[in-house]
Amino acid sequence: MIEDLGAGRRARTRTLAEARADAHARADVRVEAMPYLPASSSPYAPVGVDTSRIVWAETVGGPGYTHATLARGTRIRFEDTDGHACAHVVVFNADRHGERLNLADTQKVPWQAYLGAGHPLLSGDGRVLATVAADTSTRHDALCGVTTLAANRRRYGAGEAHSATPAGRELLRLAAAKEGLGARDLPPSVSFFKGVRVEPDGALEWTGSAGPGVTVDLIAEMPITILVANAPHPLDPEDSYRSTPLRIHAWTAEPSSDRDPWWSGSPERARAYANTQQYLTARGIR
Amino acid sequence: MTVTWATYEADYFDYSGPMVPGAVVLDHEIAPRSGWSAVVSAGTVLTLVDVGGNQSGDCLIYAAADTTERYSVPDTLVAQRNAYLVEGSVLMSNEGRPLMTIVGNEVERQDTIGGACSKESNTLRYGHHTRFHHACRENFLLEGARHGLGARDLVSNINWFMNVPVEADGTLGIVDGMSAPGKRVALRAERDVLVVISNCPQVNNPCNDFNPTPLRVIVTDPSASVSETDRR
């Protein structure tokens, strides 16, 4: 859609007073993709969540990106509102960004390639950055990463952040920069809401979307920095670039504990949480 | 107790030779448990020999001119739409560009989803008694430091000669290898690349047949071979 944003405004911005009045008159415009401040005022607050505990509320455009640094015990909910969101996520230890998501360990340590409820997102330092605490989608992928500028140029004609068909990596690069991080700080990312399965011969089979309205919840197990790009999955079979909004709400909740089934779901997981607890205890983080 | 088990010499070892003929640019034995790195020039071919059989060589690759461009598991898998590496597989960078191509391979398939071992992940996988076993992450950090690389530059890697099946329900893990003494893989550099290899010290799973052995790395220049032939 091409909209003339200047319609009815041109020639009324000749003086500073007019320009200021024009700018102020725009303040209450509501659009599909925007953050809600304060977060407790979100028009889409999750049912059953005390709105005073919401710390982050935002609809990320399709395509778009966002990022945040969050306290331990924050519960983060992603929602694929229209069925064509794909949340490409990278998580870091907020205090030490060299510690970050390691997808090989995230799959190898639990002996499971497919992420779902109870799956830990592990760092390369043997600790749990976040846990997938709930999942109504079950269509996720930890093998295929994001699209690149080169791939999007070939497929869609453009892939720059400013284009209509930005590559996931270009968006993650910007999200990283906003948190003081660079290209070295982007390891392979995990994708939520678009599924891929491995056939016996190794072929990657697209299982796609679970449809609109599904959610995934993460729990931050330590203070984390999280980068999110919403862009089509690299194996998305649609010819056109199709990306719909991604809604995010985060609220103050509880970190995982030995009362949660995933804490002791396997000896590997129990030791991962034990390592995390050891780090937090020594660091003075409760 | 520091675990240093390895076999440095044995009569079953097979040092084999380069898979692609050409002038030998480099020929090095990577001792068990140690790291190695070198810049491999565009057009030359690196042959890695599994001297003792079922010895995992954990491998990272960087564009020599700009190491922020580096080997990417996801880009490689997406490009070939398959989880396993075989002859013809193109090893892609995080920018979606070719770094190296597998031009020869003598095992059924090569792994790139199993990741590298670390002291830290050993504690999760096998218990805290394995915390001080030497690991690939240590070799990557030490070799990387020689080129100005650090923890931020470590990403998911390739495991030459390692076997990581994925079952229908998503169960994945390291099982007995499919390699043997003298088996090889050959990689042609599509541009100047920095190759870092950790000769895996892991003795808590079958990735090295519970017995670390040497790897041999040979770099040949096929074009030099051709020009010498022309002169004759």
Side-chain angles (χ1 to χ4, degrees):
Chain A
M1 186 183 68
I2 309 271
E3 184 187 4
D4 181 4
L5 293 173
R9 297 162 66 192
R10 289 194 185 84
R12 293 185 198 164
T13 50
R14 276 172 298 205
T15 68
L16 280 173
E18 287 177 323
R20 182 170 55 198
D22 175 78
H24 287 180
R26 303 271 301 157
D28 293 328
V29 173
R30 311 294 283 181
V31 296
E32 184 176 62
M34 62 185 296
Y36 311 108
L37 274 74
S40 59
S41 73
S42 169
Y44 308 104
V47 175
V49 173
D50 176 357
T51 55
S52 71
R53 300 177 78 88
I54 300 177
V55 298
W56 181 20
E58 179 171 356
T59 302
V60 180
Y65 76 89
T66 190
H67 56 96
T69 293
L70 300 165
R72 163 170 157 82
T74 304
R75 189 168 180 124
I76 306 135
R77 176 166 298 171
F78 297 111
E79 181 184 359
D80 180 1
T81 57
D82 298 290
H84 294 277
C86 185
H88 301 284
V89 173
V90 185
V91 186
F92 304 78
N93 175 345
D95 293 334
R96 212 164 54 98
H97 286 131
E99 178 174 5
R100 62 194 189 190
L101 180 64
N102 181 314
L103 277 184
D105 284 356
T106 293
Q107 295 175 301
K108 175 173 61 181
V109 171
W111 301 81
Q112 178 52 252
Y114 305 144
L115 273 58
H119 204 113
L121 299 184
L122 297 173
S123 76
D125 293 85
R127 295 188 276 256
V128 189
L129 296 164
T131 305
V132 180
D135 172 24
T136 70
S137 164
T138 74
R139 307 284 181 90
H140 313 299
D141 166 46
L143 293 169
C144 294
V146 284
T147 50
T148 59
L149 179 59
N152 276 30
R153 278 178 174 163
R154 281 195 300 274
R155 186 162 177 195
Y156 306 111
E160 295 84 351
H162 65 259
S163 73
T165 56
R169 180 168 170 80
E170 296 303 293
L171 298 175
L172 282 180
R173 198 196 289 279
L174 285 170
K178 300 291 176 67
E179 294 284 348
L181 304 171
R184 297 169 71 193
D185 300 300
L186 290 175
S189 53
V190 60
S191 304
F192 294 112
F193 302 127
K194 294 293 169 281
V196 172
R197 290 291 180 268
V198 182
E199 296 288 283
D201 64 354
L204 300 175
E205 183 203 3
W206 172 255
T207 59
S209 175
V214 293
T215 60
V216 170
D217 286 14
L218 304 181
I219 293 176
E221 305 292 1
M222 62 171 72
I224 60 167
T225 294
I226 186 167
L227 312 181
V228 184
N230 181 26
H233 187 279
L235 293 187
D236 193 322
E238 288 204 31
D239 291 334
S240 63
Y241 185 103
R242 188 168 178 192
S243 177
T244 55
L246 173 72
R247 188 155 291 141
I248 301 176
H249 285 90
W251 60 94
T252 304
E254 292 295 321
S256 296
S257 73
D258 57 9
R259 294 184 301 277
D260 294 306
W262 51 79
W263 184 279
S264 53
S266 70
E268 292 88 355
R269 294 173 200 221
R271 288 191 290 263
Y273 287 103
N275 279 1
T276 310
Q277 194 60 56
Q278 165 64 28
Y279 167 76
L280 293 167
T281 300
R283 186 77 173 73
I285 299 170
R286 299 193 179 279
Chain B
M1 184 188 72
T2 304
V3 174
T4 58
W5 173 256
T7 299
Y8 294 84
E9 290 179 33
D11 55 11
Y12 65 86
F13 281 7
D14 180 350
Y15 285 86
S16 192
M19 280 193 94
V20 173
V24 174
V25 176
L26 180 155
D27 189 349
H28 179 77
E29 181 175 339
I30 310 177
R33 301 165 42 81
S34 71
W36 171 87
S37 61
V39 172
V40 178
S41 301
T44 62
V45 176
L46 183 156
T47 298
L48 189 66
V49 183
D50 185 1
V51 173
N54 290 323
Q55 174 56 49
S56 178
D58 290 41
C59 180
L60 288 168
I61 306 166
Y62 302 82
D66 175 7
T67 56
T68 66
E69 181 170 4
R70 68 273 306 262
Y71 177 67
S72 166
V73 173
D75 287 277
T76 299
L77 300 191
V78 166
Q80 64 175 19
R81 293 191 72 113
N82 195 288
Y84 303 123
L85 301 180
V86 295
E87 185 170 339
S89 289
V90 179
L91 309 179
M92 304 290 282
S93 77
N94 54 355
E95 298 293 351
R97 293 187 283 247
L99 292 167
M100 302 183 92
T101 301
I102 301 180
V103 294
N105 178 32
E106 296 180 331
V107 300
E108 185 176 330
R109 60 173 192 241
Q110 305 276 0
D111 168 69
T112 192
I113 57 178
C117 66
S118 70
K119 289 174 178 253
E120 293 76 21
S121 68
N122 275 348
T123 70
L124 307 191
R125 299 165 75 192
Y126 310 110
H128 288 91
H129 62 98
T130 62
R131 169 64 185 256
F132 298 112
H133 292 192
H134 189 54
C136 286
R137 192 172 187 235
E138 313 286 304
N139 283 337
F140 281 157
L141 288 170
L142 289 172
E143 280 303 318
R146 299 175 54 208
H147 306 277
L149 304 175
R152 295 162 65 198
D153 301 293
L154 300 190
V155 288
S156 299
N157 57 290
I158 304 159
N159 297 298
W160 303 117
F161 310 118
M162 196 167 99
N163 185 12
V164 181
V166 182
E167 295 179 354
D169 66 354
T171 302
L172 101 173
I174 301 163
V175 299
D176 288 348
M178 300 182 289
S179 185
K183 297 269 192 184
R184 301 170 293 181
V185 64
L187 316 169
R188 183 181 65 227
E190 303 300 345
R191 37 211 288 221
D192 292 352
V193 289
L194 169 64
V195 179
V196 182
I197 295 177
S198 166
N199 191 345
C200 181
Q202 181 66 269
V203 287
N204 297 293
N205 72 47
C207 71
N208 306 318
D209 197 27
F210 300 96
N211 175 27
T213 47
L215 294 168
R216 180 186 179 191
V217 57
I218 313 152
V219 177
T220 51
D221 183 350
S223 68
S225 160
V226 169
S227 61
E228 277 186 16
T229 308
D230 288 347
R231 258 181 262 129
R232 273 190 224 119

